[in-house]
Amino acid sequence: MFRTELDRCIAEPGPAARGGGVIAPTGPQPPQFGGDPPVYDDGVLRITRIPGSGLTPGLSARYALAGEIDESTVGGLAGKLAEITAELREVHLDLAALDYSDLAGLRVIVQLAAAGRCRVVLHEVPHHLRAVLGIVGWDTAPGVDLAS
C-alpha cells in the first residue's frame, strides 16, 4: 500500500510542485487594495499599500502582504519593510492573503518592533501563522499587536 501511495504522489505532484503558491503574471492574482500598484512584487510576495485606512499620514500606514515569505523572498521583505517604516511610528500589516511564512519572515516583521523602530499591528492573521506566532512567543512581543 505504501508503495502505491508513493507512486501516486510521484505521478501527481501537489500544488507546491505545480507552483500553486507563486504569484504568476498570468494566474490568479491576490487583491491590490485601492487600485494602487504594489510597492513590492517579486512574483512570490506582493506588498501593497492600503490607502485611506484612517491612519495618521506620516506617522502610520497600512500594507497588505500576499503570497509567500520564504528564503527567496525574506531579503526583499526585510529591505522593503525597512524602507517603508523608516519614518513611521506605527505600521499595520494585513496578512489575510499571506499563504505561507517561514520563521525568518515572521522574525523580520516582529523585529521591526523589537528594534524600537515602530509599533507593528498585524491584521487578519491566518490561523496557521497566528499559531506559529503563539508557539514562539512573538504574539506577545513588545510593540507587536495582533488585531482581532
Side-chain angles (χ1 to χ4, degrees):
M1 179 171 201
F2 178 76
R3 179 75 176 148
T4 305
E5 181 66 16
L6 179 61
D7 290 339
R8 185 187 66 76
C9 289
I10 293 170
E12 300 172 22
R18 292 189 303 266
V22 176
I23 303 172
T26 57
Q29 300 293 305
Q32 282 188 217
F33 300 92
D36 289 347
V39 296
Y40 179 85
D41 189 346
D42 64 8
V44 178
L45 175 65
R46 174 180 292 160
I47 304 173
T48 307
R49 188 168 199 285
I50 304 173
S53 47
L55 302 174
T56 309
L59 299 178
S60 58
R62 186 167 181 167
Y63 292 85
L65 279 63
E68 298 181 358
I69 303 171
D70 60 19
E71 66 181 286
S72 70
T73 61
V74 72
L77 172 71
K80 186 48 74 173
L81 287 182
E83 178 185 320
I84 287 170
T85 61
E87 302 296 323
L88 297 178
R89 291 188 188 166
E90 180 176 274
V91 65
H92 292 250
L93 301 175
D94 187 314
L95 306 183
L98 190 62
D99 298 321
Y100 171 81
S101 179
D102 61 13
L103 282 176
L106 294 175
R107 183 180 299 115
V108 164
I109 294 169
V110 171
Q111 283 181 340
L112 290 171
R117 281 198 211 150
C118 68
R119 180 172 171 251
V120 178
V121 181
L122 302 177
H123 298 269
E124 303 292 330
V125 181
H127 178 73
H128 63 283
L129 295 180
R130 189 177 287 268
V132 172
L133 288 166
I135 289 168
V136 296
W138 292 340
D139 59 334
T140 59
V144 177
D145 292 316
L146 274 67
S148 53

